[in-house]
mmCIF file of all heavy atoms in Angstrom:
data_model
loop_
_atom_site.group_PDB
_atom_site.id
_atom_site.type_symbol
_atom_site.label_atom_id
_atom_site.label_comp_id
_atom_site.label_asym_id
_atom_site.label_seq_id
_atom_site.Cartn_x
_atom_site.Cartn_y
_atom_site.Cartn_z
ATOM 1 N N GLY A 178 -151.413 6.658 14.160
ATOM 2 C CA GLY A 178 -151.272 5.567 15.071
ATOM 3 C C GLY A 178 -149.774 5.354 15.522
ATOM 4 O O GLY A 178 -149.513 4.447 16.286
ATOM 5 N N SER A 180 -145.778 6.715 16.933
ATOM 6 C CA SER A 180 -145.112 7.505 17.933
ATOM 7 C C SER A 180 -144.118 8.437 17.241
ATOM 8 O O SER A 180 -143.346 7.994 16.388
ATOM 9 C CB SER A 180 -144.398 6.668 18.985
ATOM 10 O OG SER A 180 -143.422 5.840 18.375
ATOM 11 N N LYS A 203 -150.282 8.672 17.592
ATOM 12 C CA LYS A 203 -150.743 8.247 18.896
ATOM 13 C C LYS A 203 -149.993 8.857 20.066
ATOM 14 O O LYS A 203 -150.535 9.212 21.104
ATOM 15 C CB LYS A 203 -150.685 6.701 18.988
ATOM 16 C CG LYS A 203 -151.136 6.097 20.223
ATOM 17 C CD LYS A 203 -150.969 4.580 20.243
ATOM 18 C CE LYS A 203 -151.474 3.971 21.564
ATOM 19 N NZ LYS A 203 -151.303 2.459 21.513
ATOM 20 N N VAL A 238 -138.593 7.997 26.325
ATOM 21 C CA VAL A 238 -138.895 7.287 25.065
ATOM 22 C C VAL A 238 -139.176 5.793 25.364
ATOM 23 O O VAL A 238 -140.140 5.248 24.777
ATOM 24 C CB VAL A 238 -137.764 7.460 24.054
ATOM 25 C CG1 VAL A 238 -137.982 6.601 22.855
ATOM 26 C CG2 VAL A 238 -137.607 8.925 23.682
ATOM 27 N N HIS A 239 -138.418 5.234 26.190
ATOM 28 C CA HIS A 239 -138.589 3.790 26.503
ATOM 29 C C HIS A 239 -140.020 3.575 27.084
ATOM 30 O O HIS A 239 -140.701 2.607 26.759
ATOM 31 C CB HIS A 239 -137.507 3.332 27.505
ATOM 32 C CG HIS A 239 -137.564 1.873 27.833
ATOM 33 N ND1 HIS A 239 -138.384 1.274 28.726
ATOM 34 C CD2 HIS A 239 -136.845 0.846 27.267
ATOM 35 C CE1 HIS A 239 -138.200 0.005 28.773
ATOM 36 N NE2 HIS A 239 -137.180 -0.306 27.906
ATOM 37 N N ALA A 240 -140.425 4.513 27.980
ATOM 38 C CA ALA A 240 -141.709 4.331 28.676
ATOM 39 C C ALA A 240 -142.892 4.469 27.745
ATOM 40 O O ALA A 240 -143.898 3.757 27.930
ATOM 41 C CB ALA A 240 -141.790 5.298 29.802
ATOM 42 N N VAL A 241 -142.824 5.384 26.793
ATOM 43 C CA VAL A 241 -144.039 5.685 25.951
ATOM 44 C C VAL A 241 -144.029 4.894 24.654
ATOM 45 O O VAL A 241 -145.035 4.978 23.861
ATOM 46 C CB VAL A 241 -144.156 7.185 25.626
ATOM 47 C CG1 VAL A 241 -144.229 7.998 26.905
ATOM 48 C CG2 VAL A 241 -143.000 7.683 24.753
ATOM 49 N N THR A 242 -143.017 4.088 24.394
ATOM 50 C CA THR A 242 -142.937 3.338 23.142
ATOM 51 C C THR A 242 -142.783 1.809 23.384
ATOM 52 O O THR A 242 -142.372 1.082 22.496
ATOM 53 C CB THR A 242 -141.830 3.791 22.201
ATOM 54 O OG1 THR A 242 -140.548 3.553 22.892
ATOM 55 C CG2 THR A 242 -141.930 5.247 21.898
ATOM 56 N N ASP A 243 -143.131 1.402 24.619
ATOM 57 C CA ASP A 243 -142.974 -0.040 24.994
ATOM 58 C C ASP A 243 -141.597 -0.524 24.789
ATOM 59 O O ASP A 243 -141.394 -1.699 24.382
ATOM 60 C CB ASP A 243 -143.955 -0.880 24.210
ATOM 61 C CG ASP A 243 -145.436 -0.567 24.503
ATOM 62 O OD1 ASP A 243 -145.749 -0.307 25.633
ATOM 63 O OD2 ASP A 243 -146.255 -0.585 23.542
ATOM 64 N N GLY A 244 -140.589 0.394 24.953
ATOM 65 C CA GLY A 244 -139.204 -0.041 24.904
ATOM 66 C C GLY A 244 -138.632 -0.116 23.535
ATOM 67 O O GLY A 244 -137.432 -0.416 23.413
ATOM 68 N N ARG A 245 -139.399 0.162 22.433
ATOM 69 C CA ARG A 245 -138.904 -0.025 21.130
ATOM 70 C C ARG A 245 -138.145 1.177 20.571
ATOM 71 O O ARG A 245 -137.252 1.003 19.694
ATOM 72 C CB ARG A 245 -140.005 -0.336 20.185
ATOM 73 C CG ARG A 245 -140.648 -1.804 20.371
ATOM 74 C CD ARG A 245 -141.652 -2.033 19.274
ATOM 75 N NE ARG A 245 -142.772 -1.114 19.335
ATOM 76 C CZ ARG A 245 -143.920 -1.360 20.067
ATOM 77 N NH1 ARG A 245 -143.990 -2.563 20.723
ATOM 78 N NH2 ARG A 245 -144.913 -0.559 20.098
ATOM 79 N N GLY A 246 -138.534 2.387 20.997
ATOM 80 C CA GLY A 246 -138.033 3.542 20.392
ATOM 81 C C GLY A 246 -139.133 4.182 19.506
ATOM 82 O O GLY A 246 -140.109 3.591 19.140
ATOM 83 N N ALA A 247 -138.953 5.470 19.133
ATOM 84 C CA ALA A 247 -139.922 6.180 18.381
ATOM 85 C C ALA A 247 -140.046 5.725 16.929
ATOM 86 O O ALA A 247 -138.975 5.382 16.312
ATOM 87 C CB ALA A 247 -139.661 7.641 18.392
ATOM 88 N N ASP A 248 -141.176 5.659 16.371
ATOM 89 C CA ASP A 248 -141.376 5.300 14.952
ATOM 90 C C ASP A 248 -140.699 6.335 14.093
ATOM 91 O O ASP A 248 -140.160 6.047 13.067
ATOM 92 C CB ASP A 248 -142.893 5.200 14.620
ATOM 93 C CG ASP A 248 -143.603 4.106 15.415
ATOM 94 O OD1 ASP A 248 -143.048 2.936 15.390
ATOM 95 O OD2 ASP A 248 -144.647 4.374 15.981
ATOM 96 N N GLU A 265 -130.158 7.498 18.111
ATOM 97 C CA GLU A 265 -130.219 6.570 19.284
ATOM 98 C C GLU A 265 -131.651 6.222 19.682
ATOM 99 O O GLU A 265 -131.918 5.121 20.224
ATOM 100 C CB GLU A 265 -129.479 7.201 20.445
ATOM 101 C CG GLU A 265 -127.995 7.341 20.226
ATOM 102 C CD GLU A 265 -127.309 8.188 21.333
ATOM 103 O OE1 GLU A 265 -128.018 8.729 22.188
ATOM 104 O OE2 GLU A 265 -126.062 8.273 21.325
ATOM 105 N N ARG A 266 -132.616 7.146 19.496
ATOM 106 C CA ARG A 266 -133.940 7.002 20.046
ATOM 107 C C ARG A 266 -134.963 6.541 19.036
ATOM 108 O O ARG A 266 -136.120 6.298 19.367
ATOM 109 C CB ARG A 266 -134.373 8.304 20.726
ATOM 110 C CG ARG A 266 -133.552 8.815 21.850
ATOM 111 C CD ARG A 266 -133.768 8.036 23.153
ATOM 112 N NE ARG A 266 -133.306 6.692 23.201
ATOM 113 C CZ ARG A 266 -132.072 6.355 23.562
ATOM 114 N NH1 ARG A 266 -131.224 7.275 23.904
ATOM 115 N NH2 ARG A 266 -131.737 5.072 23.628
ATOM 116 N N VAL A 267 -134.554 6.387 17.795
ATOM 117 C CA VAL A 267 -135.487 5.834 16.800
ATOM 118 C C VAL A 267 -135.511 4.317 16.869
ATOM 119 O O VAL A 267 -134.491 3.686 17.207
ATOM 120 C CB VAL A 267 -135.109 6.274 15.380
ATOM 121 C CG1 VAL A 267 -133.778 5.652 14.909
ATOM 122 C CG2 VAL A 267 -136.205 6.010 14.365
ATOM 123 N N ARG A 268 -136.668 3.722 16.614
ATOM 124 C CA ARG A 268 -136.742 2.216 16.718
ATOM 125 C C ARG A 268 -136.175 1.540 15.472
ATOM 126 O O ARG A 268 -135.888 2.229 14.455
ATOM 127 C CB ARG A 268 -138.188 1.809 16.839
ATOM 128 C CG ARG A 268 -139.027 2.020 15.627
ATOM 129 C CD ARG A 268 -140.331 1.190 15.655
ATOM 130 N NE ARG A 268 -141.280 1.554 14.601
ATOM 131 C CZ ARG A 268 -141.244 1.037 13.403
ATOM 132 N NH1 ARG A 268 -140.255 0.183 13.063
ATOM 133 N NH2 ARG A 268 -142.136 1.354 12.511
ATOM 134 N N THR A 269 -135.900 0.273 15.564
ATOM 135 C CA THR A 269 -135.506 -0.510 14.389
ATOM 136 C C THR A 269 -136.595 -0.430 13.336
ATOM 137 O O THR A 269 -137.766 -0.583 13.675
ATOM 138 C CB THR A 269 -135.258 -1.972 14.784
ATOM 139 O OG1 THR A 269 -134.175 -2.078 15.671
ATOM 140 C CG2 THR A 269 -135.013 -2.849 13.576
ATOM 141 N N GLY A 270 -136.189 -0.089 12.134
ATOM 142 C CA GLY A 270 -137.201 0.101 11.084
ATOM 143 C C GLY A 270 -137.870 1.484 11.087
ATOM 144 O O GLY A 270 -138.715 1.763 10.184
ATOM 145 N N ARG A 295 -130.287 -1.965 11.830
ATOM 146 C CA ARG A 295 -131.534 -1.485 12.375
ATOM 147 C C ARG A 295 -132.512 -0.976 11.307
ATOM 148 O O ARG A 295 -133.586 -0.579 11.586
ATOM 149 C CB ARG A 295 -131.239 -0.302 13.315
ATOM 150 C CG ARG A 295 -130.444 -0.736 14.572
ATOM 151 C CD ARG A 295 -130.025 0.430 15.402
ATOM 152 N NE ARG A 295 -131.242 1.191 15.890
ATOM 153 C CZ ARG A 295 -131.226 2.457 16.298
ATOM 154 N NH1 ARG A 295 -130.139 3.110 16.158
ATOM 155 N NH2 ARG A 295 -132.352 2.980 16.719
#
Side-chain angles (χ1 to χ4, degrees):
S180 58
K203 180 180 180 181
V238 172
H239 187 275
V241 301
T242 65
D243 296 324
R245 288 188 295 269
D248 297 311
E265 294 171 352
R266 300 280 73 87
V267 68
R268 70 163 171 84
T269 294
R295 296 173 61 203

